[in-house]
Amino acid sequence: MMTSRMFPVLFMVLTLGVARAEGATEIAPKIAKEPGSLIILNTLEKDDIYGNADYVDHNVYRRLEGQYPESTPVFIRGSSEDEIRKGVEANVSSVTTLDGLVILSHGEFDKHRKQSVIYNAEGFEMFPEDPNSVRSYFRSVVGKFNENAKLHFTGCMLLSGHEKSNVKAIITSMIRVAEAFEFKSGSIYMNYTMGTPVIDSYIRQPFQK
């Protein structure tokens, strides 16, 4: 789930498509020179699960705008499956390129399917490692990401089904997410723990890989 309480936090950022020399430390490049849109999907507007972070999508963008100084923000609000599907289709179908996608939702690791799941209390559920599940909501998003884009999931505990020491399994899961979204270059953010002000944590990261 997603909460505003403060806890020790562990999250993972996977960077794709950035080459570097062996032993070097690199900061992920800024977004592409030709800016696209920043999609902020708020699935929690009507969600009454205890502990929700009090995030309003415009406030989220104000916190993120330093990372996306030239991007055009597109706010999508939806609680039910139908609202989210229609909202994404109506707002993204005409968008040519994306600099970032931020999904505000709850999250956990589904032990039966052995993969991460994002959800809300209104019936929305999506498995970001499953291409069919991704396309059922984000068909108009898939494959539109700019070079050096960012894909950001605020849901808690998405990678918690893997042992912290099993880096290979964690990276494999995040690569599956990238493949499902046809995300070829940039950074993917996913939480391992719960209870963090994720947007603020995200902004403070230097994205060193």
Side-chain angles (χ1 to χ4, degrees):
M1 63 182 292
M2 181 177 167
T3 172
S4 59
R5 292 172 293 172
M6 296 289 290
F7 289 91
V9 56
L10 175 62
F11 54 87
M12 307 295 171
V13 180
L14 176 68
T15 297
L16 303 174
V18 179
R20 62 183 178 128
E22 184 177 355
T25 297
E26 181 166 348
I27 297 179
K30 295 181 180 180
I31 59 175
K33 292 182 180 179
E34 294 185 6
S37 296
L38 167 63
I39 305 298
I40 301 173
L41 171 60
N42 185 358
T43 74
L44 298 175
E45 204 166 39
K46 299 178 183 177
D47 197 318
D48 60 358
I49 289 181
Y50 175 77
N52 269 1
D54 186 23
Y55 286 126
V56 177
D57 41 25
H58 284 76
N59 292 337
V60 169
Y61 177 69
R62 281 197 291 272
R63 298 179 191 187
L64 288 172
E65 61 186 348
Q67 295 285 333
Y68 304 87
E70 299 178 351
S71 302
T72 301
V74 178
F75 304 108
I76 303 173
R77 302 168 186 83
S79 297
S80 68
E81 291 182 329
D82 189 54
E83 286 176 348
I84 292 170
R85 286 194 179 98
K86 289 181 177 178
V88 171
E89 187 64 27
N91 288 277
V92 186
S93 58
S94 60
V95 170
T96 306
T97 56
L98 299 178
D99 294 331
L101 171 62
V102 181
I103 303 176
L104 285 76
S105 74
H106 295 295
E108 62 184 36
F109 188 87
D110 189 307
K111 295 181 180 179
H112 298 290
R113 295 185 56 155
K114 297 183 178 179
Q115 59 179 292
S116 54
V117 56
I118 64 175
Y119 66 94
N120 66 16
E122 302 294 318
F124 165 66
E125 181 180 80
M126 196 273 284
F127 295 86
E129 296 178 45
D130 182 344
N132 292 327
S133 184
V134 169
R135 285 183 175 274
S136 70
Y137 290 101
F138 298 101
R139 178 178 54 194
S140 55
V141 169
V142 171
K144 288 188 176 181
F145 292 95
N146 258 333
E147 183 180 357
N148 303 319
K150 293 184 175 74
L151 179 56
H152 183 197
F153 300 92
T154 68
C156 299
M157 304 180 71
L158 295 176
L159 298 170
S160 61
H162 305 296
E163 294 292 333
K164 294 178 184 178
S165 59
N166 194 346
V167 177
K168 182 178 180 180
I170 291 173
I171 291 176
T172 297
S173 288
M174 298 181 79
I175 288 175
R176 286 176 181 157
V177 173
E179 291 173 344
F181 280 88
E182 295 185 15
F183 185 93
K184 299 178 181 179
S185 171
S187 299
I188 300 175
Y189 175 109
M190 299 177 74
N191 285 311
Y192 190 98
T193 51
M194 64 176 293
T196 172
V198 286
I199 299 294
D200 295 328
S201 298
Y202 175 73
I203 290 172
R204 285 196 294 267
Q205 300 315 306
F207 293 102
Q208 293 181 351
K209 304 294 173 284

